[in-house]
Amino acid sequence: MTRLELICAVSDVLLNVYGKNPQRAKKLTAKYGSKDAGEIQKEVNTVVSQKTEAKYMAVACIDGHYSTAGTRRKKLGKWYTKVQDRIDYIYSMRGRSVTSAANLVIGNQFDKEDARVLLLKFCGYDSVKVQAEVDRILNTKSDAQFCVYPIWFFQGDERLYGDCTAILQFNSDGSVAHCVLIDTAQAGASNTIIRKLKAIGVKQIDAVIISHAHGDHYGGLTNILKAFAVGRLYLPDCTGLDRYQKSYGNAIRKQAKKVANHVYLKAGSAFTVGDIKCNCIYQAPADRLTEHDSHHFVNNQSIVLRFDLGGITYHTAGDLQNEGNNLLIKAVADLKCDIYKCQWHGDANACNVAICEATRPDHSTSDYHHDPIRAGRNKTRDRLRGVGSKFWDNYTYGDIFFNIKKGKITVKTSKK
């Protein structure tokens, strides 16, 4: 059964063409056979649970399954308006560049297999050219030794936010040998993150690190654990949280229960995955922070991590803010790094001049997904450029791949 045949059969079931069980099961089995009938019912259950009925019916309509628009209204009944809105949305994707179409494919806006070919044709694209661009974007199987990959998961819904960066080590044939995931963003972003990790060849995750106790950094963990075998979960020390914001300490411990093999990181902790070396170099002492609220304080309880990737250093610190940065600068003598991940999504009060000068990265990256002017993020960008850093952000460049080979960095992005 092709993908289009499955979609059309599912749409018919949703529109009660086959009635209800047990009559439905008999009719589906008679028409498609027991195996395919089971697949259809399984897909129907998924569609209903995810409330994506209109999405499937729209594809069936574009395939001509419900005849012309004149008879479509009668056949769709109460679903007509939602389905037509979905068709209009798909049609609105036409007229964009091949790269934009490829990114929409990666974001699952054109379904898959023969359904994808149909929808791309409906929007005026050459599916072969679009697929070639998808392969170009996602093909990190090069002769690189490592890759730092800030994942762009905001397509289609800019309300989604958070952090999620993968650090990859490759085998000599270009396949993924090891994967470390830093934060998991919001739960709503997890399907995109999972799809992109699988697309570049990740089969299991050696370690997941949660930087601090805000939901936009751990919300996707449950779904990540369903999609991949995870070797170990690393979490921030909760001592300070328990003193001033215990509910957030409890939130971290709740995440810990999801993985039997978990470790709480403190300043001075270190671990190695393959040749990926991680050091937890700092966590701000709670009593030295002036604010102890649920927002700024919890941000400033982020753990500061320093990775050694074959001689290239990568610095990341969750949502650490300026007060935490100033304490960090006093506590750690050498903060110079090659790749710097902006804290708190690049907001200006998380990346002051002092931390930019202390890190002086060759490359800097931010996951912000709204207009760069929001929250002074353009100031952060300009500060980093002022110390000689090449600045990359997901809003402008999409997926960003910092490929590392023999101590040298080359950058590839999904938006040309």
Side-chain angles (χ1 to χ4, degrees):
M1 174 173 268
T2 68
R3 176 67 179 169
L4 269 175
E5 288 171 339
L6 176 63
I7 288 173
C8 291
V10 167
S11 297
D12 284 343
V13 171
L14 294 170
L15 293 172
N16 291 320
V17 171
Y18 298 103
K20 298 181 180 180
N21 276 326
Q23 181 188 36
R24 176 199 297 170
K26 290 181 179 179
K27 289 186 176 180
L28 286 174
T29 301
K31 183 173 182 178
Y32 296 102
S34 58
K35 181 180 178 181
D36 286 344
E39 287 299 310
I40 292 167
Q41 187 58 56
K42 182 180 178 181
E43 191 78 2
V44 168
N45 295 340
T46 300
V47 170
V48 172
S49 66
Q50 295 178 350
K51 298 182 179 180
T52 54
E53 294 96 335
K55 183 177 179 180
Y56 278 66
M57 294 178 195
V59 176
C61 287
I62 293 171
D63 189 41
H65 188 63
Y66 296 120
S67 190
T68 63
T71 59
R72 184 184 300 163
R73 183 187 292 272
K74 182 178 179 180
K75 291 184 176 181
L76 294 176
K78 68 176 183 178
W79 290 102
Y80 177 78
T81 300
K82 287 185 177 180
V83 173
Q84 192 59 51
D85 286 345
R86 179 65 188 176
I87 293 171
D88 292 343
Y89 173 73
I90 295 170
Y91 192 75
S92 72
M93 298 178 195
R94 70 184 290 116
R96 307 186 189 187
S97 68
V98 171
T99 299
S100 294
N103 278 310
L104 289 167
V105 166
I106 294 169
N108 203 33
Q109 296 301 316
F110 286 114
D111 207 274
K112 57 186 177 181
E113 300 167 5
D114 56 340
R116 176 182 296 172
V117 174
L118 171 72
L119 296 182
L120 286 170
K121 183 178 179 181
F122 177 69
C123 293
Y125 295 108
D126 183 329
S127 62
V128 175
K129 291 181 179 179
V130 173
Q131 186 58 52
E133 183 66 1
V134 169
D135 294 341
R136 182 197 72 79
I137 291 170
L138 294 180
N139 180 24
T140 59
K141 292 184 178 180
S142 64
D143 56 356
Q145 295 170 300
F146 304 96
C147 178
V148 176
Y149 173 25
I151 301 172
W152 179 42
F153 50 81
F154 309 112
Q155 310 101 294
D157 190 350
E158 291 192 355
R159 293 171 297 176
L160 298 177
Y161 60 94
D163 266 353
C164 187
T165 298
I167 297 181
L168 309 167
Q169 180 182 349
F170 299 106
N171 293 310
S172 58
D173 65 357
S175 60
V176 176
H178 298 288
C179 176
V180 174
L181 197 66
I182 308 167
D183 290 325
T184 61
Q186 288 181 316
S190 59
N191 286 338
T192 298
I193 291 168
I194 291 164
R195 184 167 56 251
K196 291 191 173 186
L197 289 174
K198 288 185 176 180
I200 62 174
V202 174
K203 293 182 172 59
Q204 62 183 33
I205 299 174
D206 298 89
V208 174
I209 306 170
I210 303 300
S211 66
H212 67 290
H214 279 149
D216 59 317
H217 291 253
Y218 67 72
L221 179 60
T222 298
N223 290 335
I224 294 290
L225 292 172
K226 290 178 182 177
F228 299 99
V230 172
R232 181 170 290 182
L233 175 64
Y234 291 93
L235 305 137
D237 179 66
C238 298
T239 304
L241 293 174
D242 287 343
R243 188 173 304 159
Y244 295 104
Q245 291 289 336
K246 191 166 185 178
S247 64
Y248 285 86
N250 290 336
I252 289 295
R253 281 184 285 273
K254 184 177 180 180
Q255 304 313 306
K257 291 179 180 178
K258 297 175 181 178
V259 180
N261 193 1
H262 60 265
V263 175
Y264 293 94
L265 293 175
K266 296 183 179 181
S269 300
F271 68 89
T272 299
V273 171
D275 295 319
I276 300 170
K277 300 175 182 177
C278 176
N279 286 278
C280 179
I281 61 174
Y282 190 71
Q283 186 180 30
D287 291 340
R288 295 192 62 188
L289 295 168
T290 60
E291 294 180 286
H292 295 109
D293 64 327
S294 62
H295 187 60
H296 301 90
F297 174 68
V298 176
N299 278 350
N300 275 318
Q301 285 291 281
S302 297
I303 47 177
V304 182
L305 304 172
R306 188 178 183 87
F307 289 84
D308 183 332
L309 306 170
I312 293 296
T313 51
Y314 172 63
H315 174 111
T316 181
D319 284 355
L320 197 71
Q321 295 181 222
N322 283 341
E323 185 178 21
N325 274 328
N326 293 334
L327 292 172
L328 168 65
I329 292 168
K330 293 177 181 178
V332 181
D334 182 12
L335 291 172
K336 177 71 175 71
C337 60
D338 298 294
I339 307 172
Y340 173 73
K341 177 67 180 287
C342 295
Q343 291 98 240
W344 201 10
H345 321 291
D347 286 16
N349 62 350
C351 298
N352 56 20
V353 173
I355 194 67
C356 294
E357 290 181 344
T359 54
R360 287 190 169 272
D362 295 323
H363 296 272
S364 48
T365 175
S366 173
D367 69 341
Y368 63 62
H369 50 283
H370 296 95
D371 192 303
I373 295 177
R374 178 173 173 163
R377 290 165 183 157
N378 56 333
K379 295 180 181 178
T380 294
R381 175 200 63 199
D382 293 344
R383 287 168 185 163
L384 285 160
R385 287 177 176 172
V387 297
S389 182
K390 295 178 182 177
F391 186 84
W392 310 85
D393 66 90
N394 293 118
Y395 179 90
T396 305
Y397 296 100
D399 290 292
I400 306 164
F401 302 94
F402 295 97
N403 292 318
I404 299 166
K405 181 184 179 183
K406 295 181 179 179
K408 293 185 178 180
I409 304 168
T410 56
V411 184
K412 185 174 75 171
T413 65
S414 63
K415 293 183 183 179
K416 288 186 178 180

